[in-house]
Amino acid sequence: MKARVLVVDDEFGMRETLVAILETAGYDVSQAGDGAAALATAQSQTFDVIVMDIRMPELTGVEVLASLTHPPPQIILMTAYALEEQLRIARDNDAFAIMEKPFQVPYLLSVVEQAAAAAAA
Amino acid sequence: MTIAITLTIAAISIIGAIATRHGTHNEERNLLDERASEIGLILTSSFSTLQTQLATTAAETKLNGANGKAFLAAADAIIQPQPGASTTLVKVHPSASTPTVRYVASTGTLPTETSGPRAQFLAHALSVEPPDVSSAVFAAGRLRQLAVAYPVGVRDLVVLRQLSIDPQAAGSATAQGQPFHELNVALYVGTKQDPSTLVLTTAGGAVPLTGSVATSTTPFGADDWLVAVKPTSPLVGAFAANAFWLVLGGGILIAIAIGALVETLARRRDYALTLVDERTEELRQSVEKLEEAQDQLLRQERLAAIGELASAVGHELRNPLGVITNAHYLLRSNLDATRDEAASRHLATAEREVGAATLIVSDLLDYSRAREPVMTTVQLADLVEEVRGVIPAPPGITVTTDLPTPSPTVRADRDQLRQVLLNLLSNSYEAMPEGGTITITAVPTGDSVELSVRDTGSGMDEDTARRVFEPFFTRKARGIGLGLAVTKRIVDGHGGTISVTSTPGAGAAFTVRLPAAHEPAPS
């Protein structure tokens, strides 16, 4: 059974490459282009892992994280420019990992794999 | 200068004093000469009056040998009788060699001698042409006898008036306020100051008069008498007489006073100038400090502005770099399947360049994101080994470590110190494109530890060594010059120091001094 991953990023290039990389790695990948869409998708479907950018217009990744209730998926946050306050909220809401862009792909894959394993447990 | 002014004024005073004395002296001389002349004139006037009266009496009494007594009485009345004075009528028998006389009649005792000095004097008196009064002084014991002879114009008869005088007591100084009171006077029969011919003096025993003496000859009948005068006090007045000393003393006092004044002013001026110099120097230093502070502020502001820009740009570049990295990963996956070696090589180039760009962005963000160090005890030997493992030496470069056992420990933020070592080591690698040796040492020195990274690379000149820690300063073809700036900021944040010594062409040595740890490192 493939783990279900939701990729959320307002940057098309990032979103598309991440989706491609994760599909290649064998995950069942969905995508959302902003925070509101991510929230709607995450509440209508079930995901094991959400890989989400923090800085997005209107609803940030951290706000989406704080709004998600049940069942809580494992959230991996990505940031190019995170504020300390956002990082604190992310940690308080049990984000699985916070990854600084740019990151090496193998590192991402290992983190996603760990998150999926944690979700399955 | 003070001495010159003082001496000049003193010299002027001396010249003025001498000129004053010269003038005073001349004036004194003139006054004295005037007084002598006045006295002479008074005497001459008295004498001529007497002569005229005697001549008139002789004519009126029809003087002859028989009525000599009557003439004498008349004459005596004219001359005014005095104690010790006598008037005698004398018949002279002139002779070239030894004249003789016969005393005809006298108001006093009739003399008996017929020859001698008196006879000669009387013969001389008779021979005077035109007839006139003759005078002489004869010694008479302690006293003198003033003899005045007048040929009465009748046969060989001569009137002889004799007066006993005591020259010392003959006169006394005239009272204050009277004419000539300021003078000592000596009257001589004859033209010389001969004490034996002294008739009278107001100077007591101080004759002949010496010093500032003026003389005047005054005719007394056929003879000249001499009046000698000497002032008892300066004729020009005490003030004028002392003018020399007043001018000299006053001038020298003024010279000294002006000298002292000039000296005081000069010292005040020197003091003021010294103060001005000091204040100017203080001001200059203040201005320098201010300018330095201002420069530093401007530099910091500029760096802060650049830092903000760099930070913003760096963050914005992270997304595209991330996308490119991801895209490279996908490309690499596909290429590995197709075994297109050329494409694979080109992709490797792109991956390498993205890696370099990522490092630059990391440097930028490291620099703009200063973090407070979290201090722990760090064991240096472990850290050095770890860093060497993270960035292995490129081919041609040998890295040796020389640390004492047990390893020195320092108080530091381990991650930040790791960053410092990484920066220094990669810096040394880049300084040795031709290869060489890097030596890492750690030496405990009292309360601190000196961690050094020494290479045998190209080194740097003095200017570069001085500026190498400035942000955005770089002499490399690649990089934006933030590595060592970040390094220095971290070391500064630890309360440590970092320095570089270098010889161009002979390598460089970076030395970091950090506080030594007193607690053991966590295992």
Side-chain angles (χ1 to χ4, degrees), chain A residues 19-119:
Chain A
V19 168
I21 286 166
L22 290 171
E23 281 179 344
T24 307
Y27 294 99
D28 181 359
V29 184
S30 296
Q31 54 180 299
D34 56 53
L39 204 54
T41 309
Q43 278 167 350
S44 63
Q45 301 174 39
T46 306
F47 294 98
D48 299 300
V49 179
I50 299 178
V51 178
M52 180 163 52
D53 189 25
I54 289 180
R55 193 170 66 165
M56 292 183 293
E58 295 176 16
L59 213 52
T60 67
V62 172
E63 284 163 340
V64 173
L65 166 65
S67 304
L68 283 173
T69 46
H70 56 87
Q74 298 299 335
I75 311 278
I76 298 168
L77 289 170
M78 302 177 295
T79 177
Y81 185 65
L83 302 174
E84 283 293 325
E85 178 66 8
Q86 291 176 324
L87 294 179
R88 191 185 60 74
I89 295 170
R91 281 193 290 272
D92 287 352
N93 285 281
D94 295 325
F96 184 80
I98 300 167
M99 299 183 63
E100 282 210 338
K101 293 180 184 175
F103 41 77
Q104 293 301 309
V105 175
Y107 176 51
L108 169 74
L109 290 176
S110 76
V111 173
V112 171
E113 192 182 335
Q114 288 170 38

Side-chain angles (χ1 to χ4, degrees), chain B residues 35-51 146 180 185-190 199-200 216-221 223-229:
Chain B
R35 292 285 191 284
S37 300
E38 282 168 21
I39 291 173
L41 279 174
I42 290 167
L43 282 174
T44 306
S45 164
S46 312
F47 290 162
S48 62
T49 306
L50 183 65
Q51 281 169 245
L146 171 62
F180 309 120
V185 183
L187 182 64
Y188 298 92
V189 174
V199 179
L200 67 88
S216 166
T217 53
T218 179
F220 182 76
D223 299 323
D224 280 335
W225 284 25
L226 182 75
V227 179
V229 297

Side-chain angles (χ1 to χ4, degrees), chain B residues 146-379:
Chain B
L146 171 62
V148 178
Y150 180 69
V152 292
V154 181
R155 289 187 290 276
D156 293 331
L157 286 175
V158 173
V159 174
L160 174 65
R161 171 79 173 174
Q162 290 196 117
L163 181 64
S164 284
I165 51 171
D166 179 351
Q168 315 299 337
S172 57
T174 44
Q176 187 77 22
Q178 291 185 338
F180 309 120
H181 69 88
E182 76 277 33
L183 295 175
N184 268 332
V185 183
L187 182 64
Y188 298 92
V189 174
T191 55
K192 290 179 187 162
Q193 286 201 67
D194 180 357
S196 68
T197 64
L198 181 66
V199 179
L200 67 88
T201 182
T202 60
V207 283
L209 298 174
T210 52
S212 178
V213 176
T215 57
S216 166
T217 53
T218 179
F220 182 76
D223 299 323
D224 280 335
W225 284 25
L226 182 75
V227 179
V229 297
K230 179 180 179 175
T232 54
S233 60
L235 298 180
V236 290
F239 181 80
N242 288 323
F244 169 77
W245 297 111
L246 288 173
V247 170
L248 184 65
I252 287 171
L253 280 178
I254 289 169
I256 290 169
I258 288 177
L261 186 67
V262 167
E263 181 68 20
T264 305
L265 290 177
R267 284 188 184 178
R268 277 196 190 171
R269 192 198 56 180
D270 288 350
Y271 177 65
L273 285 178
T274 310
L275 273 185
V276 167
D277 284 350
E278 278 175 11
R279 294 286 183 278
T280 307
E281 177 60 21
E282 281 171 14
L283 206 61
R284 195 185 59 73
Q285 283 176 1
S286 299
V287 168
E288 261 178 22
K289 275 183 194 162
L290 209 62
E291 281 175 350
E292 211 171 287
Q294 200 176 17
D295 282 353
Q296 199 165 353
L297 205 63
L298 278 174
R299 208 159 49 234
Q300 282 171 354
E301 279 179 4
R302 205 180 62 223
L303 286 177
I306 293 172
E308 276 176 28
L309 180 66
S311 170
V313 171
H315 284 116
E316 289 309 316
L317 284 174
R318 295 177 94 173
N319 256 320
L321 284 170
V323 175
I324 295 168
T325 305
N326 291 351
H328 282 164
Y329 178 83
L330 292 168
L331 279 174
R332 172 65 64 198
S333 305
N334 292 343
L335 273 175
D336 286 349
T338 60
R339 298 178 191 279
D340 183 337
E341 285 188 9
S344 179
R345 204 166 55 248
H346 298 323
L347 181 59
T349 304
E351 285 169 339
R352 196 171 61 243
E353 292 308 306
V354 169
T358 304
L359 273 179
I360 290 172
V361 167
S362 292
D363 276 353
L364 269 179
L365 296 179
D366 282 343
Y367 179 71
S368 61
R369 188 173 47 187
R371 185 169 63 81
E372 282 295 309
V374 181
M375 296 296 204
T376 57
T377 298
V378 179
Q379 203 211 43

